[in-house]
Amino acid sequence: MDNENSPHTKFKRILVGVDDSPDAQLAFRYAVSEARLSDASLVIASILESQEMNVYQALSKDYVHGERKELVDHLNEYRDLALRAGVKTVDTVVEEGDPGETIVKKVIPAVDADLLIVGSLSKKGVRKYFGSQAAYMAKYSPISVMVVR
């Protein structure tokens, strides 16, 4: 049957923003099922926030490299989960900067996604990645945004 008249929009490339909050894991699970449903490719992105580092850490290449490697390893775990769940194509992206702005201005154009999925709540404490950024992304994103609660 032709899906042209289906009320469900078929997305081709889904971008999901993850950090280590429970909310991001919900967003990830939703993105995986949406990618399977739409037979879409999935891009898993995480942002290394430079303002979380103190000046000595920021000046230390080893520290930044260590943080980035940890993030890359974490994203590869997410990637494996998505592939095992049946998503055919999964890519990962690590960028540095302010999460909302970086995803909207750099990641979306670079990966050519047509849907962004993020969690709604930020984690308490220092690592408040996407939560406080969800409203920014929903407002300024050039593509549809789903905020998972």
Side-chain angles (χ1 to χ4, degrees):
M1 194 178 99
D2 191 9
N3 273 350
E4 286 303 305
N5 298 321
S6 164
H8 186 271
T9 306
K10 293 268 281 185
F11 296 103
K12 290 179 181 65
R13 199 151 163 81
I14 297 168
L15 172 63
V16 61
V18 298
D19 57 24
D20 54 3
S21 68
D23 242 50
Q25 286 157 32
L26 270 178
F28 171 74
R29 285 201 292 277
Y30 187 89
V32 165
S33 73
E34 184 62 42
R36 281 175 39 202
L37 187 68
S38 295
D39 197 26
S41 60
L42 183 64
V43 180
I44 309 163
S46 199
I47 309 301
L48 189 60
E49 285 190 272
S50 33
Q51 67 264 33
E52 282 191 4
M53 297 176 222
N54 67 41
V55 68
Y56 300 107
Q57 290 168 334
L59 290 172
S60 160
K61 290 277 184 278
D62 289 344
Y63 179 84
V64 176
H65 179 74
E67 287 277 284
R68 178 178 274 273
K69 187 189 178 312
E70 218 174 280
L71 209 48
V72 167
D73 290 347
H74 199 55
L75 286 187
N76 285 334
E77 287 169 24
Y78 273 121
R79 182 175 183 273
D80 291 344
L81 284 171
L83 289 167
R84 282 207 302 273
V87 181
K88 290 184 184 79
T89 310
V90 186
D91 296 308
T92 60
V93 175
V94 174
E95 278 290 351
E96 288 177 39
D98 172 75
E101 204 177 331
T102 304
I103 283 188
V104 167
K105 294 180 178 170
K106 273 187 168 171
V107 181
I108 291 171
V111 303
D112 195 27
D114 53 10
L115 174 66
L116 169 63
I117 299 177
V118 289
S120 62
L121 300 172
S122 57
K123 212 176 146 197
K124 302 282 185 285
V126 189
R127 286 182 175 265
K128 51 185 187 301
Y129 283 94
F130 293 108
S132 55
Q133 310 284 338
Y136 176 93
M137 290 185 270
K139 184 173 180 181
Y140 295 107
S141 171
I143 60 175
S144 294
V145 178
M146 163 153 288
V147 179
V148 180
R149 296 197 184 284

